[in-house]
Amino acid sequence: MRQIIQIILHHSLTKDSQTVSWDAIRRYHTLTMGWDAIGYHAGIELVNNRYEILLGRPFAKIGAHTKGYNRYSIGICMIGNFDLSPPPDKQWDLTIKFIRDLMDVFRISKRNVFGHHEFNRWKSCPGNTISIERLRMKL
Ligand SMILES: [Zn+2]
């Protein structure tokens, strides 16, 4: 297993349409971008009126989600665009629960949970409505 010391949260910037857009992202990353697999390790998406955690690239493999910070991190992606409105409570709660589980499994402290924009000031990812400081307080 590679060394994993950070969790980085993203949003997909797509509308969560209740169909599986996770697979559309996978197709974009593999067919259009030419990567071996989807860039994220997991996604949180509404599937048939229920939020589910969908697995992406294996945790053992280096992801493709945060330029310069992929080697030691896990990238997870909430499906939706959270620049203008925040994630629905159920999606946010599941995301927090999932991050807590990952923190336990990989022994990662909440100081090492980040939003993508903290590594790229030109991006708002995982969305302007999300405070990573407030997220860390809940972890
Ligand atoms: Zn991002």
Side-chain angles (χ1 to χ4, degrees), residues 62-115:
I62 296 172
H65 52 90
T66 306
K67 199 169 194 296
Y69 294 89
N70 289 313
R71 182 169 297 271
Y72 301 112
S73 68
I74 288 173
I76 68 175
C77 181
M78 294 184 295
I79 303 301
N81 179 346
F82 307 117
D83 277 337
L84 296 177
S85 52
D89 288 346
K90 284 184 176 166
Q91 185 174 23
W92 188 234
D93 291 347
L94 182 60
T95 300
I96 289 171
K97 183 179 178 303
F98 182 50
I99 291 174
R100 283 202 197 113
D101 288 345
L102 292 173
M103 288 167 64
D104 283 347
V105 170
F106 294 103
R107 306 208 152 278
I108 295 169
S109 80
K110 58 183 163 187
R111 283 181 302 109
N112 287 313
V113 175
F114 297 96

Side-chain angles (χ1 to χ4, degrees), residues 11 81-87 92 124 126-132 134:
H11 68 159
N81 179 346
F82 307 117
D83 277 337
L84 296 177
S85 52
W92 188 234
S124 62
N128 287 319
T129 61
I130 291 178
S131 160
I132 300 298
R134 276 181 40 223

Side-chain angles (χ1 to χ4, degrees), residues 1-87:
M1 192 58 166
R2 69 193 171 98
Q3 194 185 1
I4 292 170
I5 57 172
Q6 295 169 332
I7 296 165
I8 303 175
L9 182 62
H10 301 262
H11 68 159
S12 64
L13 267 176
T14 56
K15 188 166 160 31
D16 195 342
S17 60
Q18 305 205 4
T19 58
V20 183
S21 50
W22 188 239
D23 203 52
I25 297 171
R26 183 196 312 279
R27 286 197 304 274
Y28 177 70
H29 285 177
T30 54
L31 302 178
T32 308
M33 303 296 283
W35 300 344
D36 314 342
I38 191 166
Y40 306 111
H41 294 97
I44 299 95
E45 178 174 19
L46 189 60
V47 180
N48 300 322
N49 293 311
R50 231 176 129 250
Y51 281 95
E52 292 189 5
I53 294 162
L54 301 168
L55 293 179
R57 196 173 288 211
F59 291 122
K61 297 259 168 72
I62 296 172
H65 52 90
T66 306
K67 199 169 194 296
Y69 294 89
N70 289 313
R71 182 169 297 271
Y72 301 112
S73 68
I74 288 173
I76 68 175
C77 181
M78 294 184 295
I79 303 301
N81 179 346
F82 307 117
D83 277 337
L84 296 177
S85 52

